[in-house]
Amino acid sequence: MKKYTLAVFFLLPWLVLAGWVVSLSCIRANGTEVTVAIMGYDPRDLLSGRYIAYQIDWKKTNCAQFPHNQCPSEKEFCTDARWGRQCRFYVPETFANDLDKLFRRRSDQLRFEVVYSYTPRKTPIAKKLLINGTPWQTYLMENPQ
């Protein structure tokens, strides 16, 4: 009996993790893809090489892609931070320096967007970071710094 109890304690965390991953995958796959404009980059977070911190620019986002042609409330997207709502997009550390240079430019020629998997009343999941409408990896390859 002790042997089975020990096995349950070792397997339970893995089963919970697997269930969580499956549920997130289902939400991501079944959600509607929406593209939102982003602003307010925080280069200190980018330099850590783990994520890009940003805020959604609802004024530049096309609300027609959401149900009833209305943008959702800001509380549905992202988390609370000291300075307002904060969103994160995780990137590999090897590309952090190149992305940091792009974000610091903040020119009108560069448009940054994030594609989310959106399901009403569920937390949206960030899928892709776009620079001028192309995935960030492609943009960096085509426009070396």
Side-chain angles (χ1 to χ4, degrees):
M1 185 66 179
K2 191 175 188 181
K3 188 184 218 181
Y4 295 116
T5 305
L6 190 59
V8 167
F9 281 120
F10 282 123
L11 289 177
L12 187 62
W14 290 101
L15 293 173
V16 170
L17 178 63
W20 182 52
V21 168
V22 167
S23 70
L24 286 177
S25 297
C26 289
I27 291 170
R28 184 173 188 235
N30 295 327
T32 304
E33 277 196 1
V34 295
T35 304
V36 297
I38 61 172
M39 65 175 185
Y41 316 107
D42 186 355
R44 291 173 300 168
D45 290 334
L46 184 61
L47 291 177
S48 71
R50 301 191 188 284
Y51 59 87
I52 298 167
Y54 59 89
Q55 295 175 341
I56 296 175
D57 188 354
W58 291 110
K59 293 176 185 172
K60 293 182 181 178
T61 299
N62 178 11
C63 292
Q65 59 188 331
F66 294 99
H68 309 296
N69 295 327
Q70 289 183 333
C71 283
S73 71
E74 292 184 20
K75 292 181 180 182
E76 281 189 58
F77 282 78
C78 312
T79 59
D80 285 320
R82 282 175 262 157
W83 60 89
R85 306 292 296 168
Q86 177 192 348
C87 308
R88 292 180 179 176
F89 188 86
Y90 291 85
V91 296
E93 193 168 349
T94 54
F95 297 103
N97 200 22
D98 293 335
L99 286 171
D100 182 44
K101 289 177 187 175
L102 285 175
F103 288 134
R104 286 177 191 244
R105 280 192 211 162
R106 295 188 189 198
S107 70
D108 291 333
Q109 297 172 346
L110 291 174
R111 187 179 77 251
F112 298 96
E113 300 169 313
V114 175
V115 177
Y116 279 92
S117 175
Y118 176 74
T119 303
R121 294 178 302 280
K122 294 192 189 254
T123 303
I125 299 173
K127 293 174 77 173
K128 294 184 257 185
L129 172 66
L130 303 177
I131 302 173
N132 289 344
T134 61
W136 66 270
Q137 299 96 326
T138 305
Y139 186 86
L140 289 178
M141 286 175 41
E142 294 173 357
N143 302 287
Q145 301 301 313

